[in-house]
Amino acid sequence: MNRPPDEAWLTSEEMRAWRALLGAQCRLGRIIDLELQAMRGTALGDHEVLMVLSEQAEGAVRMTDLAGLLSLPPSGLTRRIGRLVAAGQVARERCASDGRGVMVRITPTGQRSLKAAMPVHVAGVRRHFVDALDPAELQLLATTLEKVGTDVPGPDLDRRAKAVRCTVAFSDKAQITRSREGSGVGAATGGGAT
């Protein structure tokens, strides 16, 4: 949505919604990660890789497609896959249709790890997220986030990541400055870069 220059800043309610989304995502991810690590010795990010692979035909997908499915930059996924390969939970293979491509496949060890960690993951998601919402709220939240998610650019995050971080940091600092100048956006705009 294009806004006139005087409406370029988030309102206090817009900032409240944005901060609530970021905060909830961060806190939920952190607590479920801690529970998975404490009870199964598995990081949430590794568990998510195994879940996505288990949902693919033959348990395998191209590395670039996996990065998109996980919304990760390829460099971050490469390190994660390296750890999972070392643990014997996934294997890297050459793509049969394209000799340059790399496939990632879940191994029997990875399937066992996923199966063992799944009850901890499901219990954490229910306890910290699902049970906090009634069915109507859950449906509305899913619909809303799906709507927002379809407008967000795809997995080409690696090349844009630095520019986005700089833009966010600059716009957040500018918004804080504008807030202090009495622009009416309110105290909810304070804080660091997201």
Side-chain angles (χ1 to χ4, degrees):
M1 170 187 291
N2 290 332
R3 295 182 186 268
D6 62 329
E7 292 184 36
W9 310 106
L10 295 176
T11 66
S12 58
E13 199 57 29
E14 290 167 338
M15 183 58 83
R16 177 179 166 233
W18 176 244
R19 295 280 186 199
L21 172 66
L22 295 180
Q25 187 267 338
C26 183
R27 286 187 299 276
L28 288 168
R30 191 172 333 142
I31 189 66
I32 293 170
D33 181 59
L34 289 170
E35 290 174 354
L36 278 168
Q37 289 192 45
M39 298 174 82
R40 299 302 318 163
T42 301
L44 177 59
D46 294 349
H47 181 74
E48 289 173 341
V49 169
L50 297 176
M51 281 194 315
V52 169
L53 288 174
S54 75
E55 296 166 352
Q56 305 307 306
E58 300 179 28
V61 67
R62 286 179 66 101
M63 188 85 147
T64 54
D65 295 334
L66 183 58
L69 291 167
L70 293 166
S71 298
L72 287 175
S75 60
L77 180 61
T78 299
R79 288 187 297 273
R80 185 169 292 164
I81 294 301
R83 287 192 308 270
L84 290 168
V85 166
Q89 295 183 343
V90 303
R92 285 189 188 109
E93 305 170 354
R94 285 274 175 223
C95 180
S97 63
D98 175 7
R100 296 176 299 152
V102 175
M103 300 288 288
V104 180
R105 180 179 307 280
I106 190 169
T107 64
T109 300
Q111 291 170 342
R112 285 190 296 276
S113 177
L114 178 63
K115 186 176 181 181
M118 194 56 80
V120 176
H121 180 262
V122 170
V125 171
R126 286 196 190 285
R127 182 174 46 257
H128 303 297
F129 175 65
V130 174
D131 292 347
L133 304 169
D134 66 40
E137 290 171 324
L138 196 60
Q139 182 177 9
L140 178 61
L141 180 61
T143 301
T144 302
L145 292 176
E146 288 167 353
K147 178 180 177 182
V148 171
T150 60
D151 292 336
V152 176
D156 186 20
L157 300 175
D158 212 20
R159 284 177 273 197
R160 293 187 307 233
K162 289 180 185 172
V164 169
R165 278 194 298 274
C166 291
T167 302
V168 169
F170 172 76
S171 65
D172 199 32
K173 185 180 279 185
Q175 190 160 343
I176 293 166
T177 303
R178 186 176 164 119
S179 174
R180 289 182 184 147
E181 292 170 357
S183 68
V185 289
T189 60
T194 54

